[in-house]
Amino acid sequence: MSDACGCGDDEPRAVGEEAEEEHEPERLWEVRELQFAAISGVFLLVALITGWAGGADIVVTVAEWLALLAGAYTFVPSTVKRLVKGKIGVGTLMTIAAVGAVLLGEVGEAAMLAFLFSISEGLEEYSLARTRRGLRALLSLVPDQATVLRDGAEVVVEPGELRVGDLMLVKPGERLATDGVIREGRTALDVSAITGESVPVEAGPGGDVFAGSINGTGVLTVEVTTTAEDNSLARIVKIVEAEQSRKGAAQRLADRIAKPLVPGVMVAAALIAAVGSLLGDPLVWIERALVVLVAASPCALAISVPVTVVAAIGASSKLGVLVKGGAALEALGRVRGVALDKTGTLTANRPAVIDVATTGGASREQVLDVAAALESRSEHPLARAILAAVDKVDPASDVEAVTGAGLTGRYEGRPVRLGRPGWLEAGPLAADVARMQSAGATAVLVEQDGQVIGAIAVRDELRPEAAEVVAQLRRDGYHVAMLTGDNHATATALAKDVGIDAVHAELRPEDKAALVKQLSAQRSTAMVGDGVNDAPALATADLGIAMGAMGTDVAIETADVALMGEDLRHLPQAFTHARRARSIMLQNVGLSLAIVVGLMPLALFGVLGLAAVVLVHEVAEIVVIANGVRAGRAKPLALTPGDRPAPRTQPATVGASS
């Protein structure tokens, strides 16, 4: 990162410490660097207007000095601190150039350098602040308190007071405060925040449960196996924090160029002054050395990348894509591999009935009517899919939930049941149930008068544009893989439908992060996801892309890029736009370096004086700004009403993702 970046410290702050020690800017005008840049710009404007109007020289001089001090404050102090530690960057060269300009009496030029560089620093700090705020959103999944059984009594404690071996009482609808093993009770557990399962999983005695999971309808007694500091969510926070720190310490494009340039220019200037003084007039050669320093100042380089970034990011928003800063834009244009989450990314996160098998003379409508009659009294997520498959619902009576198994009741005066295979015998439908499960669906059996009459397959279907998007990515030369917490059968079936060969299933969040790291070692890889369970992978990847504005806050905040709509076709469009922007960025960098390389020998041999060098720098800045503005051209994705995907039935507040 830049010299002035908040992430420039060697030791990253913990999330909690950061929250207490500083207020993260939420809007552009709250960024300190941009505030000082604005002050610097105002004084520069005063100096220019006063000079054009023929005003007093003292007013111009004072305004230029104030502009210089305001702009330099954003990077000079941190540059000095980094120099003490032996670290250099583009800020180092900017500082040297500003000092050289002042020594030659060009305070206005020095002020302009400081003004431009402070703007680029502010824009980058803003994007970093957004990412840091995302880390704290992870912690909100841990409940404020937990109920434990101690000495035969229920005691309410804070999560931090939980000890390994405690028996934790978890009531229906409550979140688990830490990891553990179920000792008593059965339930349908929503573990989407941790494992990414698209539907609740049945859990009973002996089953593992994880912090942040939501208990269904049963009361659970859970033996605590990890402390709050080392549970599933805590590990996610640690992974994200470590990876964001790693990214924060990485140098941006301009710094990578400045690293060899700075010592080279300093050595060259020193040699010019020393050797020239021995062979000729010391004053002449010292002045030439300072002119060389100014000639080598990365004026155009400092503004070329930020201008391109601002233009490209502004255009990205028109495409329904939120890009968080220049590093993210550069990475988006450099990516050659794409790892896709399943639920909520490739799929719409809206389970639907895809198949109904019948037996014993029952009709499809009869099976669905009985199932809907029972599910009308249920809060189970699969109920919405079954109810949506019928036109009219006649609720059953005497409905009772059998925790972890299904429902019983009476319909049209006859006993009926609905539940999972195993609790109800599939009988003649065993082959159909196996077929449904192999197709990646969840199968439920329906029974009437003690006889099974049908099986219903419910599956979270692919987005209609998913196959088209995967095909487009492959045509564009991207390697595409699917990462999911769902079982292998579901993952393989859906991957085949969408055209993905590389499938990785049954992954925990840390597994996803480790796998993404392996993929990134082969090629620059982007991770696309929408849930809390995707956060470590989003942070570990070379680029994290969050899918959908209705996704979890932590996914949106942790990611470097967010697709704000529900249409996956924005993804390849975002890649194309970023590649073009990166190309323009590299053009500007190349031109900027060419100016520096061309001016240095001309300044060395006295062909160009300080005024000419400054003029060339200003013209170069205009050229790179004009070129950078081209990155703002973007054509929004054309969608007809029929093409537009349906919105989610409800916000994904937990981050149901796989």
Side-chain angles (χ1 to χ4, degrees), residues 84-135:
V84 171
K85 298 178 182 179
K87 299 179 181 180
I88 59 176
V90 70
T92 309
L93 197 52
M94 293 297 291
T95 300
I96 294 172
V99 171
V102 169
L103 292 176
L104 293 175
E106 295 292 335
V107 179
E109 169 68 5
M112 181 61 71
L113 296 180
F115 168 65
L116 294 173
F117 194 59
S118 61
I119 291 177
S120 66
E121 294 296 271
L123 292 174
E124 192 164 1
E125 173 58 28
Y126 176 67
S127 67
L128 289 172
R130 289 179 62 91
T131 302
R132 289 195 293 263
R133 290 200 306 273
L135 292 179

Side-chain angles (χ1 to χ4, degrees), residues 100-101 104-106 109 284 286-297 595 598-618:
L104 293 175
E106 295 292 335
E109 169 68 5
V284 171
I286 290 176
E287 181 177 348
R288 285 190 182 181
L290 290 176
V291 174
V292 167
L293 276 178
V294 175
S297 65
I595 294 296
L599 285 180
M600 286 182 66
L602 295 177
L604 170 63
F605 295 108
V607 176
L608 295 179
L610 180 61
V613 167
V614 171
L615 177 61
V616 172
H617 273 308
E618 298 302 330

Side-chain angles (χ1 to χ4, degrees), residues 317-602:
S317 64
K318 299 176 183 177
L319 302 176
V321 181
L322 172 64
V323 182
K324 301 178 181 178
L329 182 69
E330 183 191 353
L332 186 61
R334 192 175 58 244
V335 161
R336 300 314 301 165
V338 183
L340 293 165
D341 164 49
K342 183 181 73 64
T343 305
T345 302
L346 285 172
T347 69
N349 200 21
R350 294 191 301 274
V353 172
I354 63 167
D355 190 14
V356 178
T358 64
T359 187
S363 66
R364 182 181 189 276
E365 290 72 21
Q366 181 183 352
V367 172
L368 287 173
D369 285 343
V370 172
L374 288 167
E375 292 285 24
S376 65
R377 304 297 189 187
S378 171
E379 296 298 325
H380 197 286
L382 293 183
R384 292 193 296 270
I386 293 175
L387 292 173
V390 299
D391 296 326
K392 183 180 180 181
V393 180
D394 184 12
S397 60
D398 302 328
V399 177
E400 293 183 4
V402 180
T403 303
L407 301 167
T408 65
R410 298 188 68 83
Y411 180 64
E412 296 180 345
R414 305 161 72 180
V416 291
R417 294 196 298 172
L418 175 146
R420 60 179 175 81
W423 183 61
L424 296 181
E425 292 300 326
L429 294 175
D432 293 287
V433 169
R435 173 177 53 80
M436 292 173 177
Q437 292 176 334
S438 66
T442 299
V444 293
L445 292 167
V446 181
E447 184 185 274
Q448 189 172 50
D449 290 328
Q451 299 294 322
V452 65
I453 62 172
I456 302 174
V458 178
R459 189 172 72 175
D460 187 12
E461 288 293 80
L462 290 167
R463 294 178 183 273
E465 74 277 11
E468 172 193 342
V469 168
V470 171
Q472 181 64 52
L473 289 173
R474 297 180 70 168
R475 283 196 300 271
D476 290 343
Y478 293 94
H479 176 272
V480 183
M482 176 196 286
L483 276 60
T484 176
D486 267 347
N487 60 75
H488 285 285
T490 298
T492 302
L494 289 178
K496 183 178 180 181
D497 290 343
V498 82
I500 297 177
D501 299 324
V503 182
H504 308 275
E506 297 183 8
L507 301 175
R508 297 273 303 275
E510 50 265 51
D511 300 329
K512 286 187 179 182
L515 185 57
V516 165
K517 187 170 291 187
Q518 294 177 18
L519 295 174
S520 296
Q522 300 171 16
R523 60 184 62 83
S524 183
T525 299
M527 172 67 194
V528 187
D530 81 325
V532 172
N533 65 296
D534 299 317
L538 289 171
T540 303
D542 296 300
L543 183 80
I545 302 177
M547 178 65 193
M550 294 299 289
T552 55
D553 289 341
V554 66
I556 299 296
E557 293 291 350
T558 303
D560 306 292
V561 176
L563 304 183
M564 303 308 290
E566 290 293 335
D567 196 315
L568 197 56
R569 285 177 290 182
H570 288 298
L571 183 61
Q573 189 182 36
F575 283 133
T576 299
H577 174 66
R579 286 198 303 270
R580 179 173 178 271
R582 184 169 182 264
S583 175
I584 293 174
M585 195 183 304
L586 293 175
Q587 291 171 12
N588 275 348
V589 170
L591 176 61
S592 303
L593 290 178
I595 294 296
V596 170
V597 172
L599 285 180
M600 286 182 66
L602 295 177

